[in-house]
Amino acid sequence: MKKNIISFSVFVVAFLVSLVLIHYKANPTTKFMDAQEHLEWHGQVENEYGTYDGTLIDDLFTGDGDFRFLTGEVYSGDWQDSYMEGNGVLLFPEIGEYKGELSNSMRNGQGIFTWDSGEIYEGDWKKDKMSGDGTYTFSSGATLTGIFKNNKPISGTLLYKDKAKKDDPETTIVSLEYSFSEDKETIIFSTKGGLKYDGDLSGLFNKGNTTITYPSGNIYSGQLVEGMRDGTGKYEWKDSSGETLSYYDGNWSSDHMSGPGEYHFSSSEYPYLSGNFENDVPSGTLVYYKEAGNTFETIWENGICVSVKET
């Protein structure tokens, strides 16, 4: 997943050492606990990390309080012995917001992180990382539900709505294999309808490369942008036995053959038509290669050949 989440280091040790430097203003009250006198009060405390405004017992942040870090982050919620402990909200400027459980001043337990970009993770956290069962919702509305480890999904089910109109209706994933490295994320999945995707995860939601086998048996290998054929790619039309009937190799735009390309009338190199395509049909002047050394100049209007001249 594409976002790095700022991780807090525990500041309490340095804070306790620097207690003598603390400036505070408060109206303390006295409360007896366990037969010993403890001072419970609401105050504002400043230290080298920022400013705390909330409940304290003696000199420790304990109870409900807010902390504004000098680096811009803001925490509002439960505290125990100067640790963020319990439930709270962490705001990361220009990144997003976390709501959920914390312990030892880290996101631990159940929580929801909402990025400013619109993406959401809801699930288990461990030591400030998405780890355990969770659901990641992309800004496109697609969801990945499964098991996460150190901010990465390691298995799960992806549900998405493909924008392609011909072969890809809204689908449900029935099997999924996800793998990743530091610079690449790939995914293989099959749908109830018979579609198989093998390629970059980014191809579904941004831009990437993939091979898609459609329920009809036809195969596309090339670039995708937000789940649609866009860029350069090869589309093969297949018969019921899997043999290639014809193929197009060239440019695509919004799921249509658009731009320079070649349409081959069989699985062989010849014959083929080379030139410009618009909305899946030849457009303008194209060269027809009947065989090596035997070419024709053709003119196309609205997908219809209106002129042929041997060259």
Side-chain angles (χ1 to χ4, degrees):
M1 307 306 180
K2 54 190 172 175
K3 304 289 190 304
N4 289 325
I5 304 173
I6 297 176
S7 189
F8 282 103
S9 62
V10 178
F11 60 84
V12 66
V13 175
F15 164 70
L16 293 175
V17 172
S18 61
L19 279 177
V20 293
L21 302 177
I22 291 176
H23 167 74
Y24 64 89
K25 52 184 178 179
N27 294 310
T29 58
T30 301
K31 182 176 181 180
F32 287 90
M33 298 166 53
D34 299 330
Q36 296 182 2
E37 185 175 325
H38 292 270
L39 191 63
E40 181 178 323
W41 50 290
H42 183 97
Q44 187 178 90
V45 175
E46 297 176 2
N47 63 20
E48 61 182 295
Y49 297 98
T51 302
Y52 174 81
D53 189 350
T55 304
L56 299 96
I57 294 181
D58 296 331
D59 291 318
L60 299 177
F61 308 159
T62 300
D64 184 63
D66 301 334
F67 196 97
R68 295 183 176 274
F69 291 84
L70 296 178
T71 49
E73 297 84 11
V74 179
Y75 172 73
S76 299
D78 298 331
W79 294 80
Q80 181 66 45
D81 296 333
S82 293
Y83 287 92
M84 291 181 282
E85 192 84 25
N87 288 281
V89 178
L90 270 169
L91 176 64
F92 300 84
E94 299 183 0
I95 297 177
E97 180 183 82
Y98 172 81
K99 293 182 179 179
E101 298 176 330
L102 301 99
S103 65
N104 202 32
S105 290
M106 291 184 289
R107 285 157 286 180
N108 282 298
Q110 287 285 313
I112 302 173
F113 198 103
T114 304
W115 281 268
D116 291 346
S117 61
E119 297 177 350
I120 301 171
Y121 171 78
E122 181 174 0
D124 295 332
W125 293 78
K126 184 177 181 181
K127 294 182 179 180
D128 265 343
K129 305 287 187 182
M130 295 182 288
S131 292
D133 295 329
T135 296
Y136 193 101
T137 302
F138 296 85
S139 56
S140 65
T143 60
L144 177 60
T145 301
I147 300 174
F148 291 73
K149 184 177 181 180
N150 294 328
N151 288 337
K152 292 283 187 178
I154 59 174
S155 65
T157 300
L158 180 70
L159 299 177
Y160 78 104
K161 185 175 182 179
D162 197 328
K163 296 180 181 179
K165 300 296 189 296
K166 293 181 179 178
D167 290 312
D168 304 5
E170 185 173 355
T171 56
T172 299
I173 308 303
V174 294
S175 66
L176 179 147
E177 179 181 337
Y178 176 89
S179 62
F180 60 90
S181 61
E182 291 184 357
D183 59 354
K184 189 174 181 65
E185 296 174 299
T186 60
I187 188 170
I188 301 172
F189 65 82
S190 299
T191 72
K192 287 183 178 179
L195 180 144
K196 183 177 180 180
Y197 180 101
D198 185 350
D200 297 335
L201 178 62
S202 59
L204 295 172
F205 313 110
N206 190 8
K207 183 177 181 179
N209 292 283
T210 188
T211 296
I212 300 175
T213 302
Y214 297 94
S216 61
N218 298 338
I219 298 175
Y220 172 78
S221 299
Q223 295 177 319
L224 288 184
V225 174
E226 295 185 354
M228 291 191 292
R229 300 182 289 270
D230 206 303
T232 58
K234 180 180 180 180
Y235 193 101
E236 300 176 73
W237 285 266
K238 301 284 188 176
D239 63 17
S240 59
S241 66
E243 295 294 322
T244 298
L245 298 173
S246 60
Y247 67 92
Y248 170 82
D249 193 352
N251 283 266
W252 297 77
S253 179
S254 300
D255 241 11
H256 296 285
M257 296 183 291
S258 292
E262 296 180 357
Y263 181 86
H264 293 251
F265 293 85
S266 69
S267 60
S268 303
E269 182 180 358
Y270 297 98
Y272 71 92
L273 191 64
S274 177
N276 189 62
F277 291 76
E278 290 184 7
N279 294 321
D280 298 325
V281 297
S283 178
T285 301
L286 291 90
V287 178
Y288 176 74
Y289 293 80
K290 184 177 181 180
E291 56 191 11
N294 190 2
T295 62
F296 298 81
E297 181 184 277
T298 64
I299 298 176
W300 297 75
E301 295 178 358
N302 299 317
I304 299 174
C305 183
V306 296
S307 174
V308 178
K309 182 173 66 174
E310 189 171 3
T311 58

